[in-house]
């Protein structure tokens, strides 16, 4: 069993309507086929905090083309256009987007493979995804398929497996709802559970589609770059005004305009909790609309070989573009020169310098650790007064005999058995991913992978002696597995065969707009790369418009 804690996004300190992940203005078995740059074959911004040593021993090496470690292959005297701290999806998308524009980029990753919480590791014939396996933004159509676009930009394509059901909810009062890929089937199922709320259901999700269609009509780049922003407005004024209207609104208030049934409102809370790890009243309507519709428009597509292949492919593409990635490179601090970020210092004492620095660490780690001792920018100080970190995730990886799962078992499940009030409590709800339902090659023949994760507080684990830590995680793991055995899979425990449990500084990833989730962190990478490209002369830039827009955005953020 592999258990670990992940720190993800943030939510407001008070009870007012505030949004997670930063203020919005910041930065089934189918026959194989190929469509565009995505192959369909036969057949999920977080930080690892615990059990890293366990994982590193068993992680796969990446291809030799991107194996650069120690002092080989990278010159500390090089002057890069950008240094990216961390190789999560947000950081890799930002790096590759800059590289294809001609920038010289260096990515620094403290582990031995890329991906962060979108990485993987292998053990005893199993390939485990470190984080979520719900892959949004990975289809062959539209403008929100940001992962597909990022891969195509560096000449990469991946074989994927469509998931016919995004998630199967198992909720209080025996409420069971499958979110089918086909929107009409999902609406039919949901309205069959709440026939008296059919009109409200259609109107709430109709509002989500307005947002999605507006976003999907735009070429998504930085909302902080005025030439792009005004160009999009003049080309698509109605769509831009639609997004501006929804920008300050949350999904809970919109839902309450149309829906009255408390249980249906609680279901919408659960929908949003998967998106943002907070309830609907604290989930930006923009984020909810994007994710709750993309699952039907482009669908959820799982990469053959596991989620970690996405990061590996992006890293390979980055190197092909003439940029570099350095592993086992633990950034200890950001180097400043007269208030400008000019480089980074590694824990082994090496220094690297660049025109700009992009941090894929969380904002708290960026300003609290990498810039420790520096005066916190006023804007960031105000941000951290309003927003706090969301809970961490406790992660459990298990290998089981295949016959414990019914033949029609879905890949993804969300379990909250008895009490809606436990939705956001530590260990209250359970996320379950069974990627071997889609890709059987990830486990030995006749076996499945169960990746179980639940919210937890990192503070509950910090400082525990190793013996106490091991005892606590085993106790909680047994409790969580027991709940799944009772609710979904009788005989689960006996079927287990394997278990382990400042200026020129930019932020990217799950603590930036639009928040948590693969499509969201990819979007943050695209926006960050575009803003940086404009700042270092690779895109058109208007200093006058820049000053005006950024001043306006700073004022908007004070309203958060």
């Amino acid at each position: 069993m592999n258990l670990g804690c992940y720190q993800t996004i943030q939510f407001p300190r008070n009870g007012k309507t505030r949004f997670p992940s930063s203020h919005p203005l910041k930065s089934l078995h189918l026959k194989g086929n190929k469509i565009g740059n995505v192959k369909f074959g036969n057949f999920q911004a977080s930080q690892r905090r615990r059990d890293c040593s366990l994982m590193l021993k068993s992680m796969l090496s990446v291809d030799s083309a991107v194996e650069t470690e120690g002092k080989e292959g990278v010159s500390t005297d090089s002057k890069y256009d950008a240094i990216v701290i961390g190789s999560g999806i947000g950081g890799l998308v930002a790096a590759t987007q800059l590289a294809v524009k001609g920038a010289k980029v260096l990515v620094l990753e403290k582990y031995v493979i890329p991906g962060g919480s979108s990485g993987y590791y292998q053990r005893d014939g199993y390939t485990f995804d470190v984080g979520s396996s719900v892959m949004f933004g990975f289809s062959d159509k539209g403008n929100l398929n940001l992962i597909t676009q990022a891969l195509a930009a560096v000449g990469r394509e991946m074989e994927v497996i469509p998931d016919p059901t995004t998630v199967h909810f198992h909720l209080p009062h025996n409420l069971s709802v499958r979110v089918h890929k086909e929107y009409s089937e999902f609406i039919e199922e949901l309205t069959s559970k709440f026939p008296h709320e059919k009109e409200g259901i259609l109107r709430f999700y109709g509002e989500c589609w307005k947002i999605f269609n507006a976003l999907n009509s735009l070429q998504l780049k930085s909302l902080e770059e005025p030439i792009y922003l005004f160009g999009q407005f003049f080309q698509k004024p109605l769509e831009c005004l639609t997004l501006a209207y929804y920008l300050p609104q949350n999904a809970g208030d919109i839902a309450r305009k149309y829906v009255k049934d408390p249980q249906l409102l609680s279901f919408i809370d659960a929908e949003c909790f998967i998106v943002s790890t907070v309830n609907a009243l604290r989930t930006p309507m923009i984020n909810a609309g994007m994710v709750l519709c993309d699952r039907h428009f482009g669908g959820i597509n799982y990469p053959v070989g596991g989620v970690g292949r996405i990061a590996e492919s992006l890293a390979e593409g980055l190197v092909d573009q003439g940029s570099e990635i350095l592993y086992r490179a633990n950034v200890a601090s950001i180097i400043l020169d007269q208030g400008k970020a000019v480089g980074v210092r590694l824990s082994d004492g090496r220094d690297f310098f660049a025109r700009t620095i992009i941090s894929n660490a969380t904002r708290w780690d960026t300003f609290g650790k990498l810039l420790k001792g520096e005066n916190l920018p006023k804007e960031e100080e105000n941000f951290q007064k309003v927003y706090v970190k969301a809970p961490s995730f406790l992660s459990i990886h298990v290998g089981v005999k295949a016959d414990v799962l019914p033949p029609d078992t879905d890949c993804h499940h969300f379990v909250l058995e008895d009490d809606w009030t436990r939705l956001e409590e530590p260990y209250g709800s359970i996320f379950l991913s069974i990627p071997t339902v889609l890709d059987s090659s990830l486990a030995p023949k006749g076996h499945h992978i169960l990746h179980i994760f639940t919210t937890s507080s990192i503070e509950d684990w910090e400082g525990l002696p190793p013996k106490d830590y091991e005892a606590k995680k085993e106790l909680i793991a047994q409790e969580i597995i027991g709940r799944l055995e009772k609710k979904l899979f009788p005989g689960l425990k006996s079927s287990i065969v394997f278990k382990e449990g400042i200026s020129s500084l930019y932020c990217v990833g799950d603590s930036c707009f639009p928040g948590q989730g693969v499509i969201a962190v990819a979007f943050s990478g695209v926006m960050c790369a575009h803003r940086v490209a404009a700042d270092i002369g690779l895109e058109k830039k208007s200093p006058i418009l820049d000053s005006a827009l950024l001043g306006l955005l700073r004022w908007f953020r004070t309203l958060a």
Side-chain angles (χ1 to χ4, degrees):
M1 180 188 307
N2 182 43
L3 296 103
C5 292
Y6 303 83
Q7 195 73 44
T8 53
I9 59 173
Q10 71 278 2
F11 55 85
R13 297 175 185 273
N14 55 38
K16 297 179 182 179
T17 299
R18 292 289 186 265
F19 296 143
S21 308
S22 101
H23 189 277
L25 292 175
K26 289 243 180 188
S27 357
L28 68 136
H29 299 309
L30 303 175
K31 288 294 182 182
N33 57 80
K34 175 185 172 186
I35 305 177
N37 284 306
V38 180
K39 293 180 180 178
F40 290 81
N42 294 318
F43 42 110
Q44 67 210 253
S46 341
Q47 298 234 344
R48 183 73 172 177
R49 300 301 176 107
R50 290 280 186 184
D51 282 0
C52 293
S53 59
L54 256 179
M55 288 183 55
L56 292 180
K57 292 177 182 177
S58 57
M59 282 179 171
L60 288 178
S61 297
V62 293
D63 292 343
S64 57
V66 293
E67 283 182 344
T68 309
E69 58 186 68
K71 298 183 179 180
E72 299 175 2
V74 177
S75 170
T76 57
D77 296 327
S78 297
K79 182 67 174 180
Y80 298 94
D81 292 304
I83 289 174
V84 179
I85 304 170
S87 67
I89 294 296
L92 285 173
V93 170
T96 51
Q97 290 285 301
L98 285 169
V100 297
K101 296 176 188 293
K104 179 72 171 178
V105 183
L106 172 64
V107 177
L108 298 171
E109 171 55 53
K110 65 181 179 180
Y111 297 134
V112 296
I113 63 169
S117 61
S118 292
Y120 69 101
Y121 73 99
Q122 287 190 325
R123 187 74 61 80
D124 293 356
Y126 295 90
T127 299
F128 294 106
D129 295 328
V130 172
S132 174
S133 56
V134 182
M135 293 291 106
F136 294 97
F138 206 12
S139 71
D140 64 318
K141 59 181 180 179
N143 284 332
L144 291 176
N145 57 346
L146 299 177
I147 299 298
T148 305
Q149 292 180 41
L151 290 164
V154 290
R156 287 295 184 274
E157 59 185 29
M158 294 188 66
E159 191 175 3
V160 299
I161 305 166
D163 188 350
T165 304
T166 302
V167 63
H168 188 169
F169 285 97
H170 309 270
L171 300 169
H173 312 297
N174 292 317
L175 177 61
S176 173
V177 178
R178 280 185 170 92
V179 178
H180 302 277
K181 193 276 181 184
E182 296 300 324
Y183 179 65
S184 59
E185 293 179 19
F186 164 62
I187 292 298
E188 181 180 359
E189 176 153 346
L190 188 59
T191 54
S192 72
K193 311 291 182 179
F194 301 96
H196 55 292
E197 288 281 16
K198 182 175 181 178
E199 182 179 354
I201 290 169
L202 292 172
R203 295 188 69 179
F204 170 70
Y205 286 100
E207 299 267 323
C208 292
W209 278 106
K210 289 180 184 178
I211 293 168
F212 179 85
N213 290 333
L215 281 169
N216 201 34
S217 71
L218 302 176
Q219 184 181 9
L220 299 180
K221 291 186 177 180
S222 175
L223 302 181
E224 297 181 338
E225 201 288 295
I227 293 179
Y228 154 77
L229 196 61
F230 294 144
Q232 290 293 298
F233 180 80
F234 287 123
Q235 293 177 37
K236 303 276 187 178
L238 182 59
E239 289 82 355
C240 290
L241 289 173
T242 297
L243 295 176
Y245 170 75
Y246 286 107
L247 192 60
Q249 301 193 63
N250 67 72
D253 284 340
I254 298 293
R256 282 160 177 76
K257 288 171 57 177
Y258 306 119
V259 173
K260 304 303 177 187
D261 189 299
Q263 183 160 253
L264 179 54
L265 290 172
S266 293
F267 171 77
I268 293 172
D269 278 337
E271 285 255 78
C272 291
F273 188 75
I274 288 181
V275 172
S276 61
T277 68
V278 289
N279 63 35
L281 287 169
R282 290 188 287 178
T283 299
M285 188 61 185
I286 294 280
N287 199 3
M290 178 169 61
V291 175
L292 297 184
C293 295
D294 183 62
R295 64 192 185 184
H296 303 295
F297 180 82
I300 304 302
N301 299 292
Y302 187 80
V304 172
V307 170
R309 285 297 303 145
I310 299 174
E312 284 190 343
S313 295
L314 288 171
E316 292 163 1
L318 177 72
V319 173
D320 287 348
Q321 295 295 318
S323 288
E324 301 162 11
I325 181 166
L326 179 63
Y327 297 102
R328 295 192 177 98
N330 184 20
V331 175
S333 62
I334 294 171
I335 300 171
L336 300 183
D337 182 11
Q338 298 181 352
K340 179 179 180 179
V342 297
V344 299
R345 177 161 295 159
L346 304 190
S347 58
D348 62 11
R350 285 177 292 162
D351 294 341
F352 297 89
F353 298 93
R355 297 167 64 187
T356 55
I357 309 298
I358 299 172
S359 177
N360 196 191
T362 67
R363 298 172 69 129
W364 295 274
D365 283 346
T366 299
F367 290 98
K369 296 180 180 179
L370 301 182
L371 287 168
K372 191 174 183 179
E374 300 294 334
N375 292 328
L376 197 65
K378 186 64 177 177
E379 185 176 345
E380 187 65 24
E381 184 180 333
N382 292 336
F383 176 91
Q384 293 191 15
K385 287 179 181 177
V386 175
Y387 296 92
V388 297
K389 300 175 186 177
S392 307
F393 280 105
L394 177 74
S395 180
I396 307 167
H397 287 114
V398 176
V400 300
K401 296 177 182 177
D403 57 11
V404 76
L405 305 184
D408 60 347
T409 298
D410 297 303
C411 179
H412 299 105
H413 301 258
F414 182 83
V415 179
L416 178 66
E417 304 98 311
D418 303 317
D419 188 350
W420 286 109
T421 63
R422 295 196 64 200
L423 177 68
E424 297 179 77
E425 292 181 359
Y427 318 118
S429 51
I430 302 172
F431 299 83
L432 172 62
S433 174
I434 315 173
T436 42
V437 167
L438 301 176
D439 185 357
S440 61
S441 71
L442 300 175
K445 186 176 181 180
H447 296 80
H448 278 295
I449 285 172
L450 269 62
H451 181 194
I452 308 158
F453 40 113
T454 183
T455 54
S456 180
S457 171
I458 192 73
E459 288 75 20
D460 290 345
W461 299 84
E462 289 178 333
L464 287 177
K467 184 177 180 180
D468 293 345
Y469 173 75
E470 294 295 331
K472 180 174 180 175
K473 74 178 186 180
E474 180 63 26
L475 179 66
I476 293 175
Q478 290 302 319
E479 179 185 343
I480 296 295
I481 292 171
R483 288 168 61 187
L484 291 177
E485 181 176 54
K486 181 179 179 181
K487 183 68 177 180
L488 299 181
F489 308 125
L492 177 60
K493 286 185 178 181
S494 61
S495 76
I496 294 174
V497 295
F498 173 89
K499 60 177 181 177
E500 276 198 314
I502 315 251
S503 70
S504 296
L505 172 65
Y506 303 75
C507 288
V508 67
D510 61 4
S511 60
C512 300
F513 173 73
Q516 185 188 14
V518 173
I519 188 174
V521 297
F523 189 7
S524 81
V526 171
M527 292 191 294
C528 182
H530 182 224
R531 179 65 258 183
V532 169
D535 287 345
I536 65 177
L538 299 176
E539 293 273 7
K540 291 181 179 180
K541 176 180 177 179
S542 169
I544 296 176
L545 290 175
D546 265 0
S547 178
L549 177 62
L550 294 177
L552 179 63
L553 293 179
R554 278 192 292 271
W555 175 76
F556 270 123
R557 289 164 190 150
T558 65
L559 305 179

